[in-house]
Structures are given as structure tokens and as C-alpha cells.
Amino acid sequence: MNYTSTRNHRVSLSSAQAIAKGISPEGGLFVPQRVPLFEEGELRELTGLGYRERAKRILAKYLTDFTAEEIGRCVEGAYAAGKFSSPEVAGLHTLEPGVEILELWRGPTCAFKDMALQLLPRLMTVSAEKTGSADKIAILVATSGDTGKAALEGFRDVPGTCILVFYPVDGVSPMQKLQMTTQEGSNVSACAIKGNFDDAQNGVKAIFTDKAFEQRLAARGISLSSANSINWGRLVPQIVYYVSAYCDMVAKGAVAAGGKINIVVPTGNFGNILAAYYAGLMGVPVHRFVCASNSNNVLTEFLQTGRYNRNRAFYTTSSPSMDILISSNLERLLYLLGDEDTLRVNQWMAELASAGSYDVGRELTRKIGERFSAGFCDDKGTAQTIREIFETRGYLCDTHTAVALNVYMNYRKESGDQTPALVASTANPFKFCASVLSALRPELAAGSEFEMIEALESFTGIDCPPQLMNLRGKEERFTGSCSVGEMPGVVEQFLQIV
Ligand SMILES: *Cc1c(COP(=O)(O)O)cnc(C)c1O
């Protein structure tokens, strides 16, 4: 099975080529030419397997040019015993009868991005081998926090790769910053940017599109790549955990075999919820997908009205990983639901680039409305939900998960829809300790990051994961910062090509 582009059907590449390239030359995103389907009884069979075995089976349907040995090697390495704090890798927690929380943050950096970024480097190096490239892969990342750390950890000491992360000097939480500045590994680096996330992202994009620079690197056997969620290699591992969660729900009796579920996802770049949609297309019985946003509610408006408009105020919220106005992966949904009409996708994306908005029209809006519901909640609602969920259910959730739970509770109240729900939980609450603590006990939310962690631990009786706690007093390796204009120089120095 080959991959094509959302903007050009003449593109046809193997999965290894799609993963190695990351993005199609005309700017489109790679999508499988057809979505593989589960056969009769296959979901039941998967229910009897563990996470890694399920992952191998599902990945094999998408990565048809990989051998079983290659997929096995990648999966066993990414989800090796001990890397994730629970044997089932991503496990369920019953919030109440009918509501299952899918805890995706049990990995090395305590955010759901580990699920994909532990596997991506392995898929990338195998893809490079398969496409005959002997180049060293240099990963450049602009991050607002979680992606940077998860990518550093994922690529750390992976042979044939190196990684440099840029983050906005004042745009990440103290914990996120510490996670990056203390990163271990011989092939990693991180640098603060005097600017915001957009500046960092624009700086990285400028380096990616600099043809002269690309040639200089090529002459030295280096090719640049991105760990951003537009890469198919980051999306496909996420399909796995939705299928796996459905199997687990059946196994624990939260849904009857073959029964439908709703999937609720706190959304930023639309990657995580799109993976859920793919799981549904493959045959996981899904009634509705509920897209939850914070005050940056561009997706809520789009899914409800068909009009995407990024010309709006940008809010810095307590769920920073969802502070985003351009949801890149939405392009794949438009392609899938818009009858794979690349012409129209091109048109919309051109309008987005030039005017900052587009309208997909009534017919497509109706089709979206058949599968998706959407809602948003502000910081006040997020804090209220954290408190309510802790006080009434004894469950501690982070700000992003709280947005999802808030939107879901409203959805259920308004629609009366009692379909069993699966709610994606995307970060460990200790990763956003200040916000979580001030939601529960505002008077305790003061002092250093680690004082607040101790306060949250003693108030809730829940332990902070050692991956975060062990950063206390750890040596900071990467304390440098630069202006946007200095970014190319930092890259040259890192790659030792000055
Ligand atoms: C990245 C992130 C999200 C948003 O995920 P998308 O795939 O971009 O929609 C939500 N929560 C957390 C904690 C994240 O790190």
C-alpha cells in the first residue's frame, strides 16, 4: 500500500519514503491511499494480545514495505518493558461507569507525545536504510514544551541521528524547561529563543527551506528532518492506542464487543483526534468524536460552522500544548471527508495562507457534523473541572485532560448521549503542577516548582513520577539562548559545519 499527498494525487510513495520525507514537496501531507480495514473477528483476536503485539499487527497494515522483523524491532525498542510505568503501556482508568480515561502519559517524559516519539526515531532510521540513504538525520524542532522534550528523549543516542530543539525563552513552564536543559545523550542539544513560539517555528522553517544550506549539508552527508506531527510516522503509532483502548474496554466490560463508543480528545494540532478517526475508519465502532479546545477555539467554530478563521485573539492558557491557531492535521480530515478532492484542499490551504480563513461549504460541514462534536472551555472552567473531578471522584487530572472532561460533561448533558466514552488523557498532572495546584488549593500555589510539587503530593496523596522529581538539582547542560537571527549559526555549530 502506498501513500499519496492531500494536495497531489500523482504522488505515490512507500511508507518508508513518506516517513523519511515527512512532508510532500508541494506542501501536502502524506495519507495512505486507502485505509486498511479490520477483518471479521480481528478486533476480538487483538483483545487477547498485549500492547506490543497489537502495535505490531496494526502497524503492519500501514507500513506494508517494512518486514515483520523491522516492525518488531521498532516496537520492542519503543515500548520496551520499563520504559513506560505500566506493563500495558497506555492503560485505562474508570472515572465512573461509562467513562474510561485513557492514560497516555506513562512514558519517559510524562506526556502523550512519548507514545509516538518513542517509535518515530526507529521508524525513521529503518526508513532511511530502506530508501538507501546513508545520510545522518539531523532533527530540528521548534517546541512550545512537550514535543521538544519527548523528541529529545526519543532521539537520544539513536545511531545515525542528532537533534536540536528550539524553545521560546519565556513560553514554556519551568518544568518543561528543566526537562530540556538537563537532557542526557551524546547527540542532543536545546537552545532558548528570545521570542515566542511562532518566532522559533518561523526560524526553523526558514532553515528547512534554505536550499543553499540544504546543499551544504548534503555535501557533508547530513539531511534535515522534522519530528513534527505532520509526519505520518508520528500519527500511525497513535492509531494503535485507540484500537488497543477499545480492546481493553471490551476486555473489562466497559463496552460490549462490537458496541459503539465516543472518543473525546483535547486537541491542538488535530493529530491525536485524527488518529482516533483513522481507528474508526479501520473498523473500531465509534459513535462520535468529541473535539475539545481551550479558549483558542478555532476548531470548535470550524467543526460547528465549516468556517476556519485564524484571524482571532491568541490566548496563553493553562493548557499551553493546545494554544494553537493553525491545526495542521485538519488538512488530512478535509481530504478524507471531502471525497479526496485535492483541488479543493489546495484551494482551502491557499486561502488559509493568504487570508487566514476558508469555508468548506454546507455539504462537507454536514458530513463533519455527522461524526464530530466540538466544544471548548476557558481556564476558569478547566480549574473548576480539575477540582470537581478530584473532589467527587478522587482522580487527579492535568489541565489538558480537564479541558476534555469539561467539554465531554457538557456534551453529555446537552445531547443526552450515554454512549460509553473514552477520554484521552494527555499529560501527567505534575507536569503542569502550578495550574493544577492552584485549581485545588490556590493558597498553596507559591514557591519553587519543586515546593509546589511537594505541596501537590501531600495534598493529594499522589506521587510525582520519578522522571520529573529526579530533575531536582540535576545539572543543566543546555543553558544557551539566541536571537531568531542567530538560529542558523546555532544549527551550524551544533552540526559542526562552521
Ligand atoms: C500536544 C498536546 C496536545 C494536543 O495534541 P494534538 O495532537 O496537537 O491535537 C494535548 N495535550 C498535551 C498535553 C499535549 O502535549
Side-chain angles (χ1 to χ4, degrees):
M1 182 185 66
N2 269 359
Y3 286 72
T4 188
S5 161
T6 51
R7 299 190 198 178
N8 180 2
H9 269 159
R10 282 192 297 265
V11 171
S12 179
L13 299 176
S14 68
S15 72
Q17 289 171 317
I19 290 169
K21 274 186 187 296
I23 186 161
S24 193
E26 82 293 340
L29 306 187
F30 293 121
V31 280
Q33 278 170 340
R34 58 188 166 72
V35 179
L37 304 178
F38 287 120
E39 285 155 30
E40 183 78 33
E42 203 175 350
L43 277 174
R44 193 165 352 120
E45 244 172 75
L46 288 176
T47 302
L49 304 176
Y51 192 86
R52 288 185 286 273
E53 296 310 310
R54 290 173 184 167
K56 289 176 201 168
R57 293 273 290 265
I58 297 160
L59 291 173
K61 291 176 180 290
Y62 284 97
L63 313 178
T64 50
D65 51 324
F66 282 54
T67 66
E69 189 277 326
E70 286 165 340
I71 290 178
R73 183 152 43 95
C74 291
V75 167
E76 293 293 341
Y79 307 116
K83 266 204 171 176
F84 286 73
S85 67
S86 67
E88 68 263 58
V89 182
L92 295 178
H93 172 93
T94 306
L95 186 69
E96 61 184 45
V99 184
E100 294 293 328
I101 301 217
L102 173 57
E103 295 185 344
L104 297 170
W105 39 257
R106 297 175 178 178
T109 80
C110 301
F112 92 97
K113 297 201 166 63
D114 288 329
M115 299 298 299
L117 280 164
Q118 283 298 312
L119 190 60
L120 177 73
R122 294 174 165 84
L123 297 179
M124 252 189 196
T125 45
V126 172
S127 295
E129 282 165 27
K130 297 178 84 66
T131 56
S133 164
D135 278 3
K136 175 174 182 164
I137 303 171
I139 304 287
L140 295 187
V141 178
T143 183
S144 58
D146 289 338
T147 299
K149 174 60 186 181
L152 284 166
E153 195 59 37
F155 281 93
R156 146 189 187 181
D157 294 327
V158 173
T161 74
C162 61
I163 174 166
L164 171 59
V165 170
F166 291 103
Y167 63 90
V169 67
D170 295 318
V172 299
S173 77
M175 179 57 84
Q176 287 174 322
K177 182 172 176 199
L178 200 55
Q179 279 189 307
M180 290 187 276
T181 57
T182 58
Q183 176 66 45
E184 292 174 18
S186 58
N187 62 339
V188 303
S189 191
C191 180
I193 292 294
K194 293 168 199 145
N196 60 24
F197 170 67
D198 285 329
D199 297 325
Q201 174 127 49
N202 288 339
V204 165
K205 267 194 193 150
I207 296 167
F208 271 120
T209 49
D210 183 339
K211 286 272 177 263
F213 190 57
E214 188 183 330
Q215 277 163 12
R216 272 179 64 207
L217 290 181
R220 290 170 171 80
I222 301 172
S223 61
L224 289 180
S225 192
S226 152
N228 192 280
S229 72
I230 51 178
N231 193 313
W232 180 258
R234 248 190 83 175
L235 209 66
V236 69
Q238 299 182 245
I239 301 173
V240 172
Y241 55 69
Y242 286 108
V243 178
S244 179
Y246 182 80
C247 294
D248 287 340
M249 282 178 78
V250 170
K252 74 191 280 193
V255 66
K260 287 193 173 180
I261 61 169
N262 288 333
I263 300 183
V264 187
V265 186
T267 308
N269 215 6
F270 210 76
N272 202 3
I273 193 166
L274 185 79
Y277 184 70
Y278 267 100
L281 291 178
M282 292 178 79
V284 172
V286 181
H287 175 50
R288 293 193 78 76
F289 302 90
V290 180
C291 175
S293 301
N294 62 27
S295 293
N296 296 297
N297 57 0
V298 61
L299 282 168
T300 314
E301 184 179 275
F302 171 73
L303 295 171
Q304 288 174 352
T305 68
R307 180 171 154 76
Y308 195 97
N309 184 8
R310 63 161 298 204
N311 303 311
R312 63 213 295 133
F314 175 83
Y315 298 101
T316 301
T317 74
S318 63
S319 45
S321 303
M322 293 152 66
D323 291 345
I324 191 162
L325 291 181
I326 298 189
S327 302
S328 317
N329 269 299
L330 187 61
E331 179 168 342
R332 286 189 168 111
L333 182 76
L334 299 180
Y335 173 85
L336 286 167
L337 272 175
D339 302 321
E340 308 188 352
D341 186 341
T342 55
L343 225 71
R344 288 205 300 168
V345 172
N346 271 295
Q347 230 165 36
W348 295 325
M349 292 306 125
E351 285 170 34
L352 180 64
S354 62
S357 70
Y358 59 88
D359 193 316
V360 297
R362 215 189 281 166
E363 177 55 20
L364 183 49
T365 307
R366 187 189 59 74
K367 273 170 124 173
I368 291 170
E370 279 176 359
R371 306 309 323 274
F372 287 83
S373 292
F376 74 99
C377 112
D378 62 11
D379 279 2
K380 200 164 151 237
T382 306
Q384 259 166 10
T385 302
I386 290 173
R387 188 177 184 137
E388 205 176 290
I389 295 290
F390 185 72
E391 285 174 359
T392 61
R393 321 285 206 301
Y395 185 74
L396 187 66
C397 70
D398 94 293
T399 47
H400 305 77
T401 308
V403 168
L405 285 167
N406 179 298
V407 167
Y408 170 66
M409 298 295 178
N410 279 332
Y411 164 77
R412 193 174 59 181
K413 200 161 25 168
E414 280 165 21
S415 64
D417 182 356
Q418 296 289 335
T419 306
L422 178 69
V423 181
S425 175
T426 50
N428 181 291
F430 283 93
K431 204 162 177 185
F432 299 93
C433 183
S435 299
V436 172
L437 187 58
S438 52
L440 295 173
R441 291 289 299 274
E443 71 280 10
L444 296 181
S448 76
E449 186 75 6
F450 287 97
E451 283 164 349
M452 285 193 280
I453 285 180
E454 281 171 353
L456 187 59
E457 280 187 320
S458 64
F459 177 67
T460 60
I462 294 167
D463 287 340
C464 174
Q467 304 94 296
L468 300 180
M469 208 53 175
N470 294 344
L471 298 178
R472 188 176 210 166
K474 190 169 176 180
E475 184 205 349
E476 294 195 61
R477 299 178 64 200
F478 308 110
T479 51
S481 67
C482 74
S483 68
V484 176
E486 290 165 341
M487 284 171 69
V490 173
V491 175
E492 285 175 353
Q493 224 163 22
F494 174 65
L495 297 174
Q496 298 175 328
I497 56 166
V498 255

